[in-house]
Amino acid sequence: MFALAHRLPPHRSPTTGHTRLAILATHPIQYFTPWFRHLATIFDLEVLYAHRQDARGQGAAGFGVDFEWDVPLLEGYRYRFLKNVSSSPGLQSFGGCDTPELYDLVRPENYDALLVLGWNKKSFVQGIRAAWRNKVPVLARGDSQLPTERSWLKRALKFPLYRWFLPRVDAHLYVGRRNREYLEYYGVQDRQLFFSPHFVDNEFFASRAEQARNSGAARTIREQFGIPPDACLALFVGKFIPQKHPEDFLLASLRVTKMRKHFHALLVGDGPLRKELEALASDDSERIHFAGFHNQSKLPAFYAAANILVLPGDETWGLVVNEAMACGLPAIVSDAAGCASDLIDVDLTGATFPLADIAAFANRLINFRGGDGDALRRKCESYSMQRATEGLERALGTVLAHKG
């Protein structure tokens, strides 16, 4: 039955002629909005947001400062904010997004299909149940991976639930290899799996980085921190929280600075570990630098100023690596990061090291000789908005044909 997908037309909006697609998200996210704008040119799209995140909420999420993103998040596509009835609204807990109106909203007269961007919030579960109840095809896109540590009790409780739940979603858009392995582990079949990779707006980052090089903005960053033009600069970009392991980068850098006088480390970000990290770096403050928090539009200049990005933490993916590679920057990545098996080709696009192994991390920093520009460009082409959209279109065509 699934083989008929390419021959049967998807459902069409009577007004636009496009498939009516709803996307359920927690809140406006800078990585997703360029994709939403693009999808709005293909589908009759409406994005459903479960929570209004404000500047204070951004700070509480680990950024360390209250801020609003300096790129447009609500332009170029149709959206609505759902009524969040949670007694403690927010993004830090499962129940922080509670939007029961989905049961009335997700109906075949409104949408041909629903795409949920995860299942770790109550709103996502409500959206999936509403789709099941009202016979609307439902797709899911997440980035969970198996290596994530869990207690034996949590694993024992989770396995039968997820083994029942995940295969009942009509289609899964997997973002990378480890995410696919995760879904297969819980019983999702090959015919339900469609590659829709994690990506960033490659064109935005590449053009801004090139502009920073040509205008001298990248050189200015080095001058601001007293970093010589010929020094090797390793860059960390992210929240100063335990999951990101910024202290591992500092400990590795302190080893490297004792052996290589032309090595510098620069940390862009803020968070609850800031004072602790500054105290740790005080042993070599001339070559370990803190730039503080910088908003999205400022980051390409930092990538252009650096020689290599580091991602030392335990992350389900690590989109900062996509950003860096779009700017032509290779990356040294913890093997616990979800992107490691997809984005890192050793000695071409970067290197990996065992999580929390400071000696191995320092060794990679000392011995890495730079990436290959062609390899980085090919990687960005494979993990791009175009590829993600192609996966979504294939999934929708298959699911709608099957339901029809």
Side-chain angles (χ1 to χ4, degrees):
M1 185 176 293
F2 283 97
L4 299 176
H6 67 286
R7 288 184 287 166
L8 296 177
H11 295 189
R12 302 291 183 180
S13 163
T15 54
T16 67
H18 296 160
T19 299
R20 301 170 302 166
L21 175 64
I23 298 180
L24 178 58
T26 53
H27 66 295
I29 298 173
Q30 77 278 18
Y31 292 121
F32 282 131
T33 50
W35 196 30
F36 295 162
R37 285 193 287 271
H38 176 64
L39 294 179
T41 68
I42 302 172
F43 305 107
D44 184 357
L45 177 71
E46 183 170 38
V47 179
L48 311 175
Y49 287 121
H51 177 68
R52 288 182 181 268
Q53 181 78 312
D54 57 16
R56 185 176 180 182
Q58 299 281 25
F63 286 98
V65 295
D66 298 349
F67 73 96
E68 299 283 359
W69 292 108
D70 65 353
V71 292
L73 300 183
L74 297 172
E75 295 180 5
Y77 64 95
R78 187 161 53 96
Y79 65 90
R80 75 167 73 189
F81 282 98
L82 304 172
K83 183 178 180 180
N84 187 358
V85 301
S86 172
S87 59
S88 300
L91 304 174
Q92 307 309 310
S93 66
F94 174 81
C97 295
D98 185 355
T99 50
E101 68 180 283
L102 286 165
Y103 291 108
D104 291 325
L105 184 62
V106 180
R107 293 182 174 276
E109 56 265 33
N110 295 328
Y111 308 115
D112 299 317
L114 172 71
L115 169 62
V116 296
L117 300 181
W119 48 84
N120 63 339
K121 295 289 185 288
K122 187 174 182 179
S123 289
F124 289 141
V125 176
Q126 290 168 325
I128 293 171
R129 290 185 64 196
W132 286 345
R133 178 184 297 180
N134 299 323
K135 294 181 171 53
V136 175
V138 59
L139 300 81
R141 186 175 187 264
D143 56 10
S144 298
Q145 57 172 329
L146 289 173
T148 303
E149 292 186 5
R150 294 286 188 271
S151 69
W152 70 267
L153 178 59
K154 190 168 187 177
R155 289 197 303 270
L157 294 173
K158 181 178 178 180
F159 183 81
L161 174 62
Y162 275 39
R163 186 84 177 185
W164 175 87
F165 167 67
L166 291 178
R168 282 165 175 76
V169 173
D170 293 293
H172 287 270
L173 307 179
Y174 67 94
V175 299
R177 296 174 190 172
R178 293 184 184 176
N179 182 220
R180 181 183 178 114
E181 292 168 357
Y182 174 94
L183 294 168
E184 290 174 334
Y185 175 77
Y186 286 112
V188 178
Q189 300 298 305
D190 181 72
R191 59 183 174 79
Q192 297 172 274
L193 292 165
F194 301 85
F195 182 50
S196 180
H198 258 325
F199 70 93
V200 297
D201 189 342
N202 291 328
E203 183 178 348
F204 170 86
F205 283 96
S207 62
R208 292 294 184 95
E210 185 64 21
Q211 181 181 352
R213 294 185 186 100
N214 294 336
S215 68
R219 182 178 64 252
T220 299
I221 288 175
R222 285 191 171 236
E223 293 172 350
Q224 176 185 350
F225 295 101
I227 303 170
D230 60 345
C232 177
L233 176 58
L235 178 69
F236 172 95
V237 178
K239 303 173 186 176
F240 293 173
I241 57 176
Q243 182 190 1
K244 303 287 187 180
H245 287 244
E247 71 280 6
D248 290 359
F249 177 43
L250 290 186
L251 291 171
S253 296
L254 288 170
R255 294 192 182 201
V256 178
T257 55
K258 293 177 181 178
M259 303 173 65
R260 297 286 188 271
K261 68 176 183 178
H262 292 299
F263 175 86
H264 286 249
L266 177 61
L267 292 88
V268 177
D270 211 323
L273 298 180
R274 176 69 181 262
K275 290 184 179 180
E276 177 183 330
L277 296 173
E278 289 177 332
L280 183 61
S282 62
D283 289 343
D284 199 343
S285 57
E286 291 186 358
R287 288 194 285 167
I288 298 178
H289 317 279
F290 292 84
F293 172 82
H294 285 267
N295 218 313
Q296 186 85 349
S297 66
K298 306 297 182 184
L299 294 181
F302 285 94
Y303 294 131
N307 297 100
I308 193 161
L309 177 84
V310 299
L311 185 76
D314 177 10
E315 312 200 23
T316 53
W317 184 263
L319 282 166
V320 67
V321 177
N322 297 72
E323 292 179 353
M325 289 186 176
C327 296
L329 195 64
I332 295 179
V333 174
S334 153
D335 63 358
C339 70
S341 59
D342 285 77
L343 298 184
I344 302 302
D345 296 332
V346 177
D347 294 331
L348 294 175
T349 63
T352 63
F353 68 93
L355 177 69
D357 188 333
I358 306 304
F361 192 2
N363 185 61
R364 300 294 187 276
L365 289 169
I366 291 171
N367 294 311
F368 191 69
R369 295 292 177 258
D372 179 273
D374 289 336
L376 289 166
R377 282 189 290 273
R378 288 194 298 271
K379 192 65 70 173
C380 289
E381 290 173 359
S382 297
Y383 292 79
S384 64
M385 187 185 303
Q386 178 183 353
R387 292 295 177 88
T389 303
E390 290 170 356
L392 172 59
E393 290 182 304
R394 285 194 297 270
L396 277 172
T398 299
V399 167
L400 292 177
H402 176 61
K403 291 290 183 180

